[in-house]
Amino acid sequence: TMYDTFDYREKNNVVRNDFVSLLLGLKDTLTKEELAAEGMLNFAAGYETSSTLLSFTFYELALNQDIQERLRDEISQEVEGNDGKITYDLLHSLKYLDMVTKEVLRKHPPLADNSRKCTTDYQVPGSDFIIEKGTMIEISVYSLHRDAEYFPDPLKFDPERFNDENVKNIKPFTYLPFGDGPR
């Protein structure tokens, strides 16, 4: 359990450059229960988002054989050009893979909505409406990502939305697979 990990590290003075050590650095400001909850939340969120992304990627590639073939060609060529080695740098150089991933996250966002708390009174531009400090706001990521105003033909799986030219046309704050703003 997280409690056992915390206890072991504290008793044995184990410090690593990892998330558990980061959490233990907060032990003066958070309770042990809050630290464990943060640890479990981050584990679950990381696991669920990764598995969801992979599942929907395989699904979309199965439905779109032409995209699957193009992606396979890109990966094969780049790996072959890198002496058959898959490295961190190679993965980051795969532009079409990045486009496919972003389109999967657009069409199937890992979080359907994001909740945010307004930190100051905010007047909505062009109106008299004020969102008061402390108000919780729900942002429907799913609806934004499927709005034809922002993503034409939103049900179509189209990685080209994220090519170097088209990505410039995506209106800020309409593509939010993991939210935006300070963490």
Side-chain angles (χ1 to χ4, degrees):
T1 69
M2 291 297 292
Y3 296 122
D4 294 334
T5 302
F6 294 154
D7 290 342
Y8 176 82
R9 289 202 183 179
E10 287 179 327
K11 287 177 187 169
N12 296 292
N13 202 25
V14 175
V15 178
R16 296 186 181 144
N17 188 20
D18 64 4
F19 187 67
V20 173
S21 287
L22 182 68
L23 285 174
L24 286 173
L26 298 171
K27 69 181 180 184
D28 293 336
T29 57
L30 298 175
T31 67
K32 204 169 196 177
E33 289 77 18
E34 290 170 328
L35 292 174
E38 284 294 322
M40 293 307 296
L41 175 65
N42 277 279
F43 173 76
Y47 174 79
E48 287 301 319
T49 56
S50 298
S51 62
T52 300
L53 172 62
L54 285 172
S55 297
F56 280 120
T57 299
F58 296 145
Y59 172 74
E60 290 294 349
L61 292 175
L63 294 177
N64 298 280
Q65 299 282 311
D66 56 328
I67 294 171
Q68 181 185 142
E69 189 63 36
R70 180 175 169 191
L71 181 58
R72 181 184 298 117
D73 289 345
E74 177 191 55
I75 293 169
S76 296
Q77 288 172 6
E78 293 298 317
V79 170
E80 187 177 306
N82 197 41
D83 297 323
K85 296 177 183 159
I86 298 174
T87 63
Y88 180 82
D89 289 334
L90 176 120
L91 290 174
H92 280 275
S93 73
L94 300 172
K95 286 189 171 205
Y96 196 62
L97 175 61
D98 185 59
M99 292 164 49
V100 167
T101 301
K102 287 177 179 172
E103 179 66 350
V104 170
L105 290 170
R106 181 202 64 83
K107 194 170 174 194
H108 308 282
L111 300 171
D113 59 4
N114 285 319
S115 299
R116 295 293 183 262
K117 184 186 243 182
C118 190
T119 57
T120 61
D121 286 351
Y122 177 79
Q123 183 169 354
V124 176
S127 77
D128 293 332
F129 186 73
I130 295 176
I131 301 171
E132 294 178 9
K133 178 181 179 178
T135 303
M136 291 300 296
I137 305 294
E138 283 292 316
I139 301 163
S140 176
V141 174
Y142 188 85
S143 296
L144 277 173
H145 287 190
R146 294 196 175 213
D147 189 324
E149 179 181 345
Y150 306 121
F151 299 99
D153 198 5
L155 298 180
K156 180 181 180 190
F157 185 74
D158 183 13
E160 290 301 322
R161 296 177 204 275
F162 294 94
N163 70 27
D164 289 341
E165 188 60 33
N166 292 335
V167 76
K168 296 174 193 173
N169 299 322
I170 296 175
K171 188 174 180 180
F173 307 109
T174 60
Y175 178 70
L176 301 167
F178 298 106
D180 204 348
R183 300 283 190 266

